[in-house]
Amino acid sequence: MSLHALCLLGVFAFATPAAAAPEAPARADADDAETALAQARDHFSRGEFAEAKTLLLAAYTSSHRPDLLFALGQAEFNLENFVEAIDYYEKFLATNPDAERAALTQQALGAARARIAAPKPVPAPRTVERHRWQPEYTGLLVLGGVGLALGTALFIDGHGLGNDESGSLADYELRIKRSQSEQLAGLACTIGGALAIGGALVAWRVRSETVIAPSMSERAVGVAIGGRW
C-alpha cells in the first residue's frame, strides 16, 4: 500500500470520528478534538505530517478518543516511523472499532509491517574514471625543460659578458648590448619553459573526473553520473 493510499485512509478515518467510539462518554473538549482533526486533515493534504502528529497528540492527550489513535498511526506511517505506527494501529484495534474501520486498520498494519520487513537499499560501489596522463603532456614537459635549460644558459652567459671589461671601449659596449640581448632571450626561454611545464600539469590535474554511481532503492534502479574539476 502506498503512502498516498494510506493518507486517503487517514482522511476517511477523520471523516466520521464520532462513530468510532459511540460508547465513550461525551467530553467537554470534544469540540477541540474536532478542530484538531480538521486541522490535521489540512496538514495531511499538504504533506505536513509532523504538524498533523503534533495536533493529534495534543487532542488525544485531552480527549482520549479512539479514532485519534488511527489518525496518529497514519501520521507516524507517513513519517516512516513504522514501529510507532503499528503501536497506534494496535491500540486502535483494541478499542473494538466497527468492522469497516477494523478492516482499514488491518490494511494499514499490513502495510507498516511490510515496510519494516522490506530489504534496505544497499549502497552501490562508485566507479571512478580518472583522467590519465597523455603523451602530449610529456612533450610539454620536455619542451619546458629545454626552455628552462636554454634560458638559464643564455642568462648566465649574458651576465658574464656584461661583467667582462677587457678590450677597448667599443668592444665593451658591444659586449654590453650582447649581454642584454642574451639575458632577455634567456628570460623569455625560462618563462616559456615554465609555462609549458605548468600547462602540462594543469591540463592533467584540472581535467574532469567522472564518477559513475549506480543507485538502488525499493522502487527503482538508476545510475548517477557526475564530474569534478
Side-chain angles (χ1 to χ4, degrees), residues 10-22:
V11 172
F12 178 85
F14 298 153
T16 56

Side-chain angles (χ1 to χ4, degrees), residues 53 72-73 76-77 80-89:
K53 173 185 172 181
L72 281 165
E76 295 288 10
F77 183 96
E80 299 190 1
N81 301 327
F82 303 117
V83 173
E84 291 80 357
I86 289 172
D87 183 57
Y88 281 122
Y89 293 146

Side-chain angles (χ1 to χ4, degrees), residues 120-224:
K120 299 298 184 291
V122 178
R126 291 159 52 94
T127 301
V128 179
E129 295 183 356
R130 298 183 183 277
H131 183 63
R132 297 180 179 179
W133 184 266
Q134 302 296 326
E136 54 265 31
Y137 302 160
T138 301
L140 284 173
L141 285 181
V142 172
L143 181 62
V146 171
L148 288 176
L150 179 61
T152 301
L154 286 172
F155 191 85
I156 292 175
D157 185 63
H159 184 71
L161 287 174
N163 291 332
D164 184 2
E165 299 179 356
S166 62
S168 64
L169 180 60
D171 292 336
Y172 178 70
E173 289 178 349
L174 288 174
R175 285 196 298 272
I176 289 296
K177 291 181 179 180
R178 183 181 170 188
S179 169
Q180 291 174 346
S181 297
E182 286 193 5
Q183 289 187 70
L184 286 175
L187 181 61
C189 288
T190 301
I191 293 174
L195 288 175
I197 293 173
L201 295 176
V202 168
W204 174 52
R205 294 301 297 173
V206 176
R207 287 291 298 274
S208 64
E209 174 185 285
T210 302
V211 179
I212 303 175
S215 60
M216 299 178 61
S217 67
E218 297 177 31
R219 302 179 181 177
V221 177
V223 176

